[in-house]
Amino acid sequence: MTSTPPATSRVSIVVPTFNEAANVAILVQKLGETLQAYDWEVIFVDDDSTDLTWKCVKDIAARDPRVRCLRRVGRRGLAGACVEGILSSSAPVAVVMDGDLQHDESILPAMIEKILRENNDVVVGSRYIEGGSNGAGFSRRRAAMSRFATTLAHRITGDQVSDVMSGFFAVRRDRFEAMAGQISTAGFKILLDILMTGGATLRVSEVEYTFRAREDGASKFDLKAMWDFVVLLLAKSTRGIINERLIYFLMVGVIGLGVNLFVLRLLIDVPQLDFAKSQTIATFLAMTSNFYINNSLTYRDKKLKGFAFMRGLGFFYLICSAGAVSNIGISSWMFSNHQQWWVAGIVGAIIGSVWNYAVSSILVWNR
Ligand code: GDD
Ligand code: MN
């Protein structure tokens, strides 16, 4: 006679880590205590921590088959780490939590049950609803920043969830798999991204907890994370029309305008050069610097080198010239149709830049 073991629910805990060596063993121990009723596994997704967190995890994993380590090399990013961790699992429920012990593991069973028995798709560990709090986990400055960001995010997601900035949540894995391709791998705000992508089709609820203070290691939340957050909100609220590349491209355009005016101002005093010649040289310099900066910033992941760089530059001149022609054509036409000069000028410039962006993104950097 063989006896079948009692059916237990399978759960995957996904823990992104970067330099958390001192915390992982404690976390595994705590998970074991709180998840006794489940068939659980924990997947640490480590971005090649310099303190060898991945090695600590693998040492534990060698003895405990419930523990796995996904070591990523040459990459950084909290959201991307979470996405890959969830996608590497096969349990019906995945939970994302920090590896620094700031998230209270004792609410895990409540979160999991809300998915398994109450038919929710996402359950958020929340610091703001009654009973939950920021505890000693946040400096005053961070708490203010977090409140500001939450208010901003609420304008976009509605008031369904109080703590949309949380990095602590459970998700039904098949729902996540269906939207995985649309989730940004940049930045910190993966939950917000899931909520905005899934929209009203998601059933969401919350469980409150107290955010603990960090004992070991340091927070990785920085200006870059803040910037990624703003870009994510813009991209999601404009359905992707305004994205990170476009923002960089326009910023570079403004720098280019500065270069153009600066060079023009210098050359105009040179007696051998008339205005048209000076402006031609200034424009070429501006286009060249725009190309160079776009190639190393906006399209750094598709950077052109050597011959491809020269060919790309040639294309870029052509595209920008056509952009300039349409800019001048449209603004002159508007002006002659009794528009205000500045309205005509702005519309011309916008149409010229959008042309430059759209065409160069395809012809120069997308081949
Ligand atoms: N793999 C990987 N790659 N993990 C990372 C990275 C990264 O680039 N950056 C941070 N982590 C890990 C940390 O090691 C930690 O386990 C977890 O992600 C959270 O990072 P912290 O640096 O501790 O973030 P925090 O405490 O400042 O921010 C927390 O609160 C925010 C609320 O405003 C996090 O829970 C955020 O997700 C949350 O949004
Ligand atoms: Mn933390």
Side-chain angles (χ1 to χ4, degrees), residues 306-325:
F307 175 69
F309 181 91
M310 296 313 292
R311 190 182 50 191
L313 180 60
F315 266 122
F316 193 70
Y317 284 148
L318 276 178
I319 292 161
C320 292
S321 312
V325 170

Side-chain angles (χ1 to χ4, degrees), residues 149 152-153 155-157 184 189 192-193 196 225-248 250-251:
L152 207 69
R155 303 200 149 246
I156 291 162
T157 60
S184 162
K189 302 307 166 197
L192 180 63
D193 201 344
M196 289 193 291
M226 200 64 199
W227 165 255
D228 289 332
F229 167 68
V230 173
V231 171
L232 177 69
L233 283 189
L234 273 174
K236 288 288 165 175
S237 56
T238 61
R239 293 177 190 276
I241 294 170
I242 299 182
N243 58 31
E244 184 165 35
R245 278 198 214 282
L246 177 60
I247 296 172
Y248 280 141
L250 295 179
M251 287 189 335

Side-chain angles (χ1 to χ4, degrees), residues 142-248:
R142 251 315 276 288
M145 250 159 77
S146 174
R147 264 197 309 276
F148 170 73
T150 305
T151 316
L152 207 69
H154 270 159
R155 303 200 149 246
I156 291 162
T157 60
D159 286 328
Q160 200 182 17
V161 178
S162 60
D163 192 3
V164 287
M165 313 305 287
S166 178
F168 191 16
F169 61 92
V171 59
R172 193 180 290 278
R173 193 181 49 80
D174 55 357
R175 290 303 308 266
F176 181 84
E177 300 260 1
M179 63 169 89
Q182 286 145 269
I183 303 294
S184 162
T185 54
F188 263 50
K189 302 307 166 197
I190 179 176
L191 172 66
L192 180 63
D193 201 344
I194 292 173
L195 295 177
M196 289 193 291
T197 305
T201 68
L202 290 176
R203 276 184 61 116
V204 186
S205 74
E206 302 182 81
V207 177
E208 68 263 38
Y209 79 100
T210 303
F211 194 58
R212 295 191 195 119
R214 201 188 235 284
E215 304 284 339
D216 250 292
S219 167
K220 285 96 204 172
F221 187 91
D222 54 9
L223 265 181
K224 175 74 172 97
M226 200 64 199
W227 165 255
D228 289 332
F229 167 68
V230 173
V231 171
L232 177 69
L233 283 189
L234 273 174
K236 288 288 165 175
S237 56
T238 61
R239 293 177 190 276
I241 294 170
I242 299 182
N243 58 31
E244 184 165 35
R245 278 198 214 282
L246 177 60
I247 296 172
Y248 280 141

Side-chain angles (χ1 to χ4, degrees), residues 344-365:
I346 291 175
V347 170
I350 290 176
I351 289 176
S353 321
V354 168
W355 161 273
N356 289 348
Y357 170 70
V359 180
S360 71
S361 76
I362 296 166
L363 287 188
V364 179
W365 282 285

Side-chain angles (χ1 to χ4, degrees), residues 80-97:
C82 298
V83 170
E84 285 181 34
I86 301 172
L87 292 182
S88 81
S89 83
S90 62
V93 181
V95 182
V96 171
M97 74 188 288

